[in-house]
Amino acid sequence: MNLVRWNPFRDMSILQNQMNRLFEDALHTWPTDSDGTSAWSPAADIYETDNDLVVQADLPGIDPQQIEVRVENNVLTIRGERRFEAKVERESFHRVERSYGTFSRSFTLATPVDSEKIQANYKNGVLNIALPKAEQARPKRIQIAATAA
């Protein structure tokens, strides 16, 4: 049996994310621009390895050239636009459930990163961003010197 340390702030973070999603989803039903676009927010996962922070964002149907990734003052910002390029006239649609228009997501990074070595790639509709931790933020193993008693 593994013991797991309970972190109440993790539960609060999950609650905050769920509340944000609730309000974002509610806003999608409000009237949008005349061209049928609205602001939307792609889903993202962030995890940490020994050397990197990794962000994965779901951005299907978006031209990678329309995505901007920027890190400034330890804040990662992803911006872009999903364009509505209908090959069928708008009046012919029965449902339009996918979100179109501009988006912007910003994440405050918990760990300082080396902005010169950030790598991003886009494959199968998923944007993967590897943010290498700054040298001072990486874990270091300290050797203990033992002396004979």
Side-chain angles (χ1 to χ4, degrees):
M1 179 169 131
N2 292 332
L3 293 177
V4 178
R5 178 182 229 153
W6 179 64
N7 182 353
F9 296 107
R10 180 172 180 261
D11 292 339
M12 292 298 291
S13 176
I14 291 170
L15 176 62
Q16 179 183 11
N17 289 338
Q18 290 173 342
M19 293 297 291
N20 287 343
R21 285 256 180 230
L22 174 69
F23 285 106
E24 288 170 6
D25 291 344
L27 290 175
H28 283 290
T29 62
W30 286 48
T32 59
D33 295 338
S34 60
D35 64 353
T37 63
S38 63
W40 61 282
S41 182
D45 295 332
I46 302 174
Y47 62 92
E48 185 173 354
T49 66
D50 286 341
N51 297 319
D52 299 317
L53 290 175
V54 180
V55 177
Q56 296 177 323
D58 290 341
L59 300 170
I62 298 178
D63 179 2
Q65 301 302 317
Q66 297 295 322
I67 303 170
E68 175 189 350
V69 177
R70 146 178 281 170
V71 174
E72 191 172 349
N73 296 326
N74 224 36
V75 175
L76 171 69
T77 302
I78 305 169
R79 287 191 181 114
E81 181 177 7
R82 180 186 292 150
R83 298 174 192 251
F84 186 80
E85 297 176 6
K87 296 177 175 80
V88 179
E89 292 192 30
R90 285 192 84 73
E91 295 79 27
S92 299
F93 277 96
H94 291 264
R95 288 181 82 84
V96 177
E97 292 186 349
R98 294 183 288 171
S99 299
Y100 296 93
T102 60
F103 67 88
S104 180
R105 292 287 312 260
S106 292
F107 306 97
T108 301
L109 303 174
T111 305
V113 297
D114 185 348
S115 60
E116 300 298 318
K117 296 180 181 175
I118 295 172
Q119 295 182 339
N121 65 55
Y122 181 84
K123 183 178 179 184
N124 297 331
V126 178
L127 175 66
N128 288 291
I129 306 168
L131 303 120
K133 293 179 186 176
E135 194 60 40
Q136 71 269 20
R138 291 187 181 166
K140 294 183 176 116
R141 183 175 172 96
I142 308 300
Q143 207 59 313
I144 300 173
T147 58

